[in-house]
Structures are given as C-alpha cells and as structure tokens.
Amino acid sequence: MITLAVDNQEITVKEGTTLLKASEKLGIEIPTLCYHEGLLPYGACRLCVVEIFKEKENRMVAACSFPVEEGMKVVTSSDRVLKRRRMIVEFLLSRCPDVKTIKDLADRMGIKKPRFKSKNLDCILCGLCVRVCNEIAGIGAIGFVSRGKKLKVDTPFHMASDVCIGCGACSSVCPTDAIEMELDAVKRFLELLGSEHKCRYALMGLISYKVCSNNYECWKCKIDQRIRDALGTHPIFAAKKIKKEKVNQYFSFLKKIQE
Ligand code: SF4
Ligand code: SF4
Ligand code: FES
C-alpha cells in the first residue's frame, strides 16, 4: 500500500493506483477528456494535469496515467495547474469551436474566444475510439493516420472497413460526437452479412444468438436502449465486468417481455 497526500488530505491506496483514482477516492474532481475507466490510460489530452512534489522534485504530470508514490504530495488546482488546463482548453476550443463538450469546458473556465486560429474540426484526437476498437472490440478497424497537422482517425487507406462489426463502441466513447453510425455503414455491414442478420451484440460475442429485427438500425431498437440504460455504459464494456451468462439471462428476459 502507498500513502500520499492529495490537496493536503492523506490517503493510502494500492500500489499502481493512478493519481486520478486516488483523488477520486477523496472526492476531488479532476477534469479528463481522453480517459475512460474501461481502457488503458493514454495521456493524450493532458487536461488532467496536476502538480506533484516529492523530495526535491516538482513537476506537472497527467493524473490519469501517473501512478501513486510513497510520500508524494499532489496539488490538483494550483495556479500553475489551472493555467495549463486553461491553455489546453483554449487550444481545443480553437481546434473544435462548435463541439459542445469543449464549449462547456471553456465556459466553466471563463474562456470566451481562443487566441489561436480557428480550425472548425470536430475531433480532438483523444484516441478513445481507436483504443476501444482495439482493446475492447478486438477489431482494429480504425486508427490514426498521417502525422503532424494532418493527423486524424480513419480506416486503412480511407476505405470502407470490411472488418468493422458495427458495434458502435467507437461512437459511444467519443467525447465530441465526431463519430456517428451512418446508415451507409450499416448498409455495407448488412451486405457483408448476407442473409445472416445476427444482432450486433451476438457479433460482439455478448450473447450466443439473436436475430436483429430492426435491419441494424439500432437507434430504433428498444432492447439496445434498455441495455444501455440498465448497464449504464456501452454493453461491450459491461461484458468485461458481468459474466457472459448474466448478459445472456438479461437478453432472454428482455426478449420475453418484448414478445
Ligand atoms: S463500430 Fe465497433 S468495430 Fe466498427 S470501428 Fe467502431 S468500435 Fe471498431
Ligand atoms: S473521433 Fe472522437 S473518440 Fe476518436 S479521436 Fe476523435 S474525438 Fe476522440
Ligand atoms: S485525461 Fe489524462 S491525459 Fe487526457
């Protein structure tokens, strides 16, 4: 176990706990954008920056990926920290001026107009979509392409993916709504499947077998909506925590009450 102090409050947590988790346990909120508790930390946005002090060392680190250390002192909202976060949000606001999540963050920080040139994009390059597709769906249908200013998320060679299973996990984790499940993608997906219209949750391996009765227009599916409401997250994450049998039982129950 490791003992440290966050904003002058002492806490003892397991070795390997991140500063973000330790702060959460104390009820201290640190803003995040590229963090998702079901995915490996990535440290891309740096919004969760905090200041750490240990012996003679003092530096800024990303709380979502930095592990606790014995005797460490963490400050989550010093002037230096707030200034850095403000700069990050200002930069993101110039990149994505119409994205609600970023506008809300900017409002909370009192940022009216960023000093940087506006780009009118909707992706903040947080990598959540790429990570969920790789780490959780195990598909790898999308990834980062190009470099520098041209860096973006795309399918290989910007071509329609022939491996995407249409699980929608990428769209559900995107903090900016930059990814939408398009009807075209759903149609392509249908063509790939031929006459076998298995529910996408069956394709994700969450249930043994279920036929889709909505032509893969999941937004019309009451079962899909109820599962999201009941599990409080995209089912692909819930499946990691809940035993597969439990999910199957849940689906059978929903099927019964729909009949
Ligand atoms: S819908 Fe699922 S498989 Fe397709 S790109 Fe998104 S996460 Fe990957
Ligand atoms: S599309 Fe969304 S989830 Fe993917 S990198 Fe961009 S902002 Fe993040
Ligand atoms: S939330 Fe920690 S770096 Fe993005």
Side-chain angles (χ1 to χ4, degrees):
M1 300 297 279
I2 304 279
T3 300
L4 71 156
V6 184
D7 292 346
N8 291 323
Q9 299 180 63
E10 203 165 270
I11 185 168
T12 302
V13 290
K14 276 191 195 155
E15 191 176 2
T17 304
T18 61
L19 298 181
L20 183 69
K21 283 279 162 203
S23 307
E24 251 176 44
K25 280 184 197 289
L26 287 167
I28 298 167
E29 199 189 320
I30 296 175
T32 60
L33 272 175
C34 71
Y35 173 78
H36 189 293
E37 69 172 15
L39 299 170
L40 294 173
Y42 188 54
C45 71
R46 314 306 282 183
L47 188 66
C48 64
V49 70
V50 293
E51 208 169 352
I52 56 165
F53 299 83
K54 201 182 170 207
E55 291 156 7
K56 286 184 182 161
E57 188 191 12
N58 163 221
R59 61 188 168 118
M60 311 271 266
V61 297
C64 69
S65 53
F66 203 89
V68 292
E69 286 174 18
E70 189 63 40
M72 178 186 264
K73 287 188 173 38
V74 183
V75 180
T76 67
S77 51
S78 63
D79 287 351
R80 200 176 161 210
V81 164
L82 297 181
K83 200 173 163 195
R84 180 74 63 89
R85 283 192 199 139
R86 210 183 141 84
M87 176 69 90
I88 291 165
V89 172
E90 212 179 324
F91 172 74
L92 290 173
L93 188 64
S94 67
R95 179 179 169 88
C96 308
D98 296 323
V99 166
K100 187 176 180 311
T101 315
I102 307 300
K103 284 203 292 189
D104 289 350
L105 267 171
D107 272 354
R108 268 193 268 153
M109 291 183 180
I111 302 167
K112 298 274 176 254
K113 205 168 177 251
R115 283 166 290 171
F116 315 109
K117 205 175 156 202
S118 181
K119 288 196 181 127
N120 277 321
L121 299 170
D122 57 1
C123 170
I124 56 168
L125 302 174
C126 69
L128 281 169
C129 55
V130 175
R131 284 180 285 147
V132 77
C133 189
N134 269 311
E135 290 173 30
I136 307 294
I139 305 292
I142 47 177
F144 282 110
V145 297
S146 297
R147 286 182 182 195
K149 286 182 184 170
K150 290 187 176 167
L151 185 69
K152 62 174 183 174
V153 172
D154 208 342
T155 51
F157 307 108
H158 193 56
M159 286 168 69
S161 174
D162 55 358
V163 290
C164 168
I165 57 166
C167 65
C170 52
S171 161
S172 84
V173 292
C174 177
T176 66
D177 290 333
I179 301 186
E180 280 173 21
M181 294 299 286
E182 292 172 2
L183 201 54
D184 273 2
V186 174
K187 280 183 187 153
R188 273 201 311 273
F189 180 54
L190 271 177
E191 279 163 22
L192 284 171
L193 290 174
S195 56
E196 169 85 314
H197 285 197
K198 256 188 185 177
C199 161
R200 62 188 183 139
Y201 296 121
L203 288 157
M204 279 185 248
L206 301 188
I207 51 169
S208 47
Y209 191 81
K210 182 183 178 298
V211 173
C212 171
S213 51
N214 283 301
N215 216 22
Y216 286 102
E217 293 172 5
C218 301
W219 54 95
K220 290 184 185 165
C221 175
K222 283 185 189 147
I223 291 185
D224 187 272
Q225 199 49 55
R226 281 162 117 156
I227 287 166
R228 279 166 193 260
D229 291 348
L231 300 178
T233 180
H234 190 280
I236 211 158
F237 287 107
K240 287 260 162 185
K241 293 187 191 144
I242 300 170
K243 281 196 172 157
K244 220 170 170 181
E245 297 81 39
K246 288 257 178 210
V247 179
N248 283 342
Q249 279 170 16
Y250 191 70
F251 268 93
S252 320
F253 167 72
L254 284 176
K255 211 173 161 195
K256 258 190 212 149
I257 56 171
Q258 282 238 319
E259 279 164 4

